[in-house]
Amino acid sequence: MNRLPQSRLILSLFSLAIASCATQEPNNAFVSDADSVPMASNADTSTLIPIIDYKERFLPVIARNGMVVGPEQLAAEVGAQILRQGGNAIDAAVATGFALAVTYPRAGNLAGGGFMLIHLADDDRETLIDYRETAPAAASRDMFLDDEGNLDKQREYFSLQSAGVPGTVAGMLYALEKYGTLTREQALAPAIALARDGIPVSYSLFFEISASAQNLRKNPAAERQFFQPDGSAYAVGDIWRQPDLAWTLSEISEEGINGFYGGGVAQLITTEMESGGGLITAQDLADYRVVERQPVRGTYKDFEIVSTPPPSSGGVHIVQMLNILEGYDLQAMGHNSAAYVHHLTESMKLAYADRSLYLADPDFVDVPVTQLVDKAYAEQQRQRIDSNVATPSVDIAPGQLLGSESTETTHYSVADRFGNVVSNTYTLNFSFGSNIVVPGTGMLLNNEMADFASSPGSANAFGLVQGEANKIEPGKRPLSSMSPTIVFRAGEPWLATGSPGGSVIISTVLQTTLNAMVFDMNIATAAAEPRMHHQWMPDVLKMEEGFSLDTVRLLQAMGQNVDMASRTSGRTNSIMLDEGWLYGSSDTRRPGGWVAGY
Ligand code: DON
């Protein structure tokens, strides 16, 4: 398949068209232009073909200077406007992050956490800002077990105890101060305006609130926040104002870090905690720290992969699986053929088995990252794969190292005209987190404590088996799967991507990068192709709609336990950068995604 970026001689005439219409719905790029452009019949018009490429069923949005690809239009446009006005990618990422807290409340947040991967063009280096939540000081290993030792899921998922100490505000302000150019007030002003003046309720927002209405209505402050004063739902097109959230954002704008982790907002958080058995104290908030870490690095053939290190498992396992898969001729197998899916499945089983044993917060547990991403370890692991027969998960123990959903998260990608790139994933964990709003703040609490091994050895909300390494400990960060990633080609950033989806984040990012690197797909096609997922336990190969029944039958004959999944897998928001052009795609698996560029 040809990638769109292989267009080389782009007529200046079309540069103008691109500059004027780069902001549009995904997969809709240049439809009107395409209608007016003849098929290649002579030398002059043939140069236009790669832009429109009639071989591709899915097209990215194209821009020249700057781009934000995210889950929601207004917040993506906030970021793009900052880029247009001369801000850099970090400024835009921070402003978009704050704006999503207003416009995309199911996952955009102030009281959640996440990871921001940044490529800094001037320094030619990458850095990872870890703003994952931490367990409160009063948290303990068995805090979610009842008297009989059974997991109390209601308390784990939907109580004040579900919340880890939030990291998002600290992470965004840290990124802005260290790598941005805007003032705090400038970065927060768009989000404050959106919350104060209101936003029209989009179809997606209406759908998201409706889907969680039952849970949100259980919490009086959430009901006040998300429904009309008379209790009825906002309709599509209604203006939804969030004055409490505007106040919280203003506190952060005026006071900085202390406007959230101290002062009035912190007071409201701790009052709420004290009212209902929550654990977060004023001291926990004051103690919260961002950690700037070295990303995880690996290679796949000529590409370099830079991704998220522990306390996320994402980067380690993406690199580990790419190392295993590098030993096979994937191109010859054919994209999404039974042989291809089988080899991906077997490498996923091995990686997710390792996750259950080795991965956790590196500040508490010695995580053997170097060994896990070692090519020699991959070689050893590859020997465990039978190319024709599925290995049952029960026969797969974590490897011996060599030597020494309904759920929601969100990812957005940003690129600026200076060459900086940001890949950011952040979350409240479930859709609308714990579904608890802190009264007076307009702000939902995360339920990230559920990402710990609340009962070591058993599965978490995403079905992931959790080991002792990820047990609850005061101050510890729960193990994550969030995987903001940047792929480099010839030393230059080439693809920024990431996804929500809990356990499927890792397999989603793996397949998106393979689609681009191995099968030469443009980024819209790479996002659209059907995906599969296996996470070792349970021993089930989930396959999205779109695989052929012939493929499914062949996989079953190899011994794979195929489940034609009723749910889609992940939702990427990606930018491909090639020869000075930006190609954006917001995965169509969820409504409302947006590519804003100029
Ligand atoms: O950190 C993690 O891996 C999870 N808390 C992410 C949750 C998530 O992706 C839910 N989204 N669909």
Side-chain angles (χ1 to χ4, degrees):
M1 227 176 281
N2 289 331
R3 274 183 299 106
L4 262 179
Q6 281 163 355
S7 58
R8 293 300 163 257
L9 290 168
I10 297 165
L11 298 185
S12 54
L13 177 67
F14 277 81
S15 305
L16 280 175
I18 288 161
S20 64
C21 70
T23 296
Q24 45 195 291
E25 291 200 48
N27 303 323
N28 222 2
F30 299 113
V31 170
S32 55
D33 294 331
D35 291 344
S36 64
V37 175
M39 296 287 285
S41 56
N42 58 46
D44 289 334
T45 53
S46 66
T47 55
L48 301 178
I49 290 301
I51 277 197
I52 303 147
D53 201 337
Y54 291 115
K55 290 190 195 122
E56 306 269 359
R57 289 181 298 132
F58 307 98
L59 296 179
V61 175
I62 306 174
R64 187 65 166 162
N65 297 299
M67 184 175 272
V68 180
V69 185
E72 192 281 325
Q73 178 182 2
L74 295 170
E77 293 291 358
V78 161
Q81 184 60 15
I82 278 174
L83 294 177
R84 267 187 215 101
Q85 290 167 346
N88 70 14
I90 296 89
D91 296 322
V94 170
T96 299
F98 281 125
L100 282 169
V102 181
T103 63
Y104 192 67
R106 70 183 300 190
N109 66 81
L110 297 180
F115 300 93
M116 183 182 285
L117 177 62
I118 307 176
H119 166 72
L120 295 156
D122 282 351
D123 301 348
D124 194 17
R125 70 178 174 97
E126 291 71 49
T127 189
L128 185 286
I129 298 175
D130 166 359
Y131 57 98
R132 180 75 161 161
E133 300 90 331
T134 54
S140 56
R141 183 183 188 274
D142 297 332
M143 61 183 272
F144 293 121
L145 302 185
D146 64 20
D147 293 343
E148 278 85 50
N150 299 317
L151 202 52
D152 180 345
K153 291 198 172 166
Q154 176 63 29
R155 206 151 45 77
E156 189 189 12
Y157 298 164
F158 299 116
S159 79
L160 290 169
Q161 292 184 7
S162 314
V165 183
T168 294
V169 172
M172 293 290 156
L173 294 182
Y174 180 94
L176 185 70
E177 277 159 29
K178 190 150 178 196
Y179 299 114
T181 65
L182 297 184
T183 63
R184 205 169 60 224
E185 291 80 358
Q186 288 170 318
L188 276 142
I192 294 171
L194 289 166
R196 184 195 54 220
D197 303 340
I199 58 172
V201 173
S202 63
Y203 166 76
S204 322
L205 182 58
F206 171 78
F207 172 81
E208 287 150 12
I209 294 174
S210 304
S212 292
Q214 214 184 345
N215 257 343
L216 290 168
R217 286 186 189 280
K218 288 182 188 158
N219 177 250
E223 184 164 38
R224 274 199 303 281
Q225 173 82 6
F226 292 102
F227 297 90
Q228 310 243 34
D230 68 359
S232 62
Y234 287 98
V236 174
D238 284 353
I239 299 297
W240 179 46
R241 294 185 180 82
Q242 301 176 78
D244 289 349
L245 187 56
W247 173 77
T248 302
L249 288 160
S250 302
E251 288 287 294
I252 300 165
S253 174
E254 284 161 26
E255 306 292 332
I257 199 87
N258 199 44
F260 184 90
Y261 294 90
V265 175
Q267 181 66 55
L268 288 170
I269 295 173
T270 51
T271 302
E272 173 70 355
M273 289 288 151
E274 284 157 16
S275 76
L279 301 186
I280 298 175
T281 62
Q283 194 61 48
D284 287 323
L285 290 168
D287 286 347
Y288 184 82
R289 293 289 175 272
V290 163
V291 184
E292 191 167 357
R293 301 183 190 274
Q294 287 299 318
V296 172
R297 289 172 183 276
T299 58
Y300 181 85
K301 309 218 164 160
D302 293 339
F303 297 92
E304 189 185 8
I305 289 78
V306 180
S307 191
T308 313
S312 175
S313 55
V316 166
H317 297 313
I318 290 164
V319 171
Q320 186 183 4
M321 290 188 284
L322 288 172
N323 284 344
I324 294 173
L325 293 166
E326 200 175 32
Y328 301 105
D329 188 347
L330 300 179
Q331 235 166 4
M333 289 176 191
H335 183 253
N336 277 357
S337 66
Y340 178 72
V341 173
H342 174 73
H343 286 86
L344 260 63
T345 304
E346 296 304 291
S347 67
M348 286 176 192
K349 288 179 191 170
L350 294 169
Y352 280 88
D354 281 355
R355 185 187 193 278
S356 71
L357 182 66
Y358 295 119
L359 271 287
D361 182 345
D363 297 336
F364 283 72
V365 173
D366 195 9
V367 184
V369 174
T370 313
Q371 292 100 311
L372 287 164
V373 301
D374 187 351
K375 299 265 186 202
Y377 177 59
E379 173 68 39
Q380 175 188 291
Q381 291 288 77
R382 205 179 300 123
Q383 305 311 317
R384 300 173 70 188
I385 295 179
D386 183 323
S387 282
N388 300 304
V389 180
T391 305
S393 293
V394 286
D395 295 344
I396 295 178
Q400 294 299 312
L401 298 174
L402 296 175
S404 53
E405 187 163 56
S406 168
T407 50
E408 197 60 28
T409 293
T410 197
H411 179 86
Y412 55 94
S413 300
V414 184
D416 68 22
R417 65 189 155 96
F418 313 110
N420 304 302
V421 179
V422 175
S423 186
N424 186 83
T425 312
Y426 75 156
T427 190
L428 290 164
N429 197 21
F430 287 13
S431 197
F432 300 93
S434 62
N435 287 248
I436 297 173
V437 164
V438 178
T441 67
M443 189 174 79
L444 283 156
L445 288 169
N446 71 78
N447 61 348
E448 216 68 66
M449 291 295 286
D451 270 352
F452 279 116
S454 301
S455 171
S458 65
N460 74 356
F462 301 99
L464 286 166
V465 176
Q466 303 267 31
E468 192 68 25
N470 188 32
K471 68 182 178 203
I472 302 174
E473 294 179 78
K476 191 176 180 182
R477 287 158 144 85
L479 179 59
S480 175
S481 298
M482 289 188 273
S483 310
T485 297
I486 304 177
V487 179
F488 288 74
R489 194 173 67 170
E492 297 294 327
W494 178 67
L495 173 61
T497 191
S499 174
S503 58
V504 307
I505 292 173
I506 302 171
S507 54
T508 295
V509 173
L510 175 78
Q511 288 166 87
T512 306
T513 56
L514 283 172
N515 287 351
M517 294 189 300
V518 178
F519 297 100
D520 212 18
M521 293 179 194
N522 78 55
I523 189 56
T525 307
E529 287 292 323
R531 293 194 277 262
M532 41 67 65
H533 173 76
H534 198 300
Q535 60 184 49
W536 177 52
M537 297 286 185
D539 190 351
V540 174
L541 166 57
K542 287 194 184 280
M543 297 176 74
E544 284 184 330
E545 190 180 284
F547 287 92
S548 85
L549 265 185
D550 293 343
T551 306
V552 170
R553 288 193 194 106
L554 288 168
L555 285 161
Q556 285 168 331
M558 290 178 188
Q560 300 290 5
N561 302 315
V562 178
D563 172 16
M564 294 306 288
S566 51
R567 292 176 60 87
T568 53
S569 207
R571 183 251 187 111
T572 55
N573 283 309
S574 316
I575 300 176
M576 187 176 269
L577 305 93
D578 203 43
E579 306 223 345
W581 294 91
L582 303 170
Y583 300 84
S585 167
S586 180
D587 200 323
T588 51
R589 284 168 178 79
R590 299 270 195 290
W594 202 257
V595 181
Y598 77 108

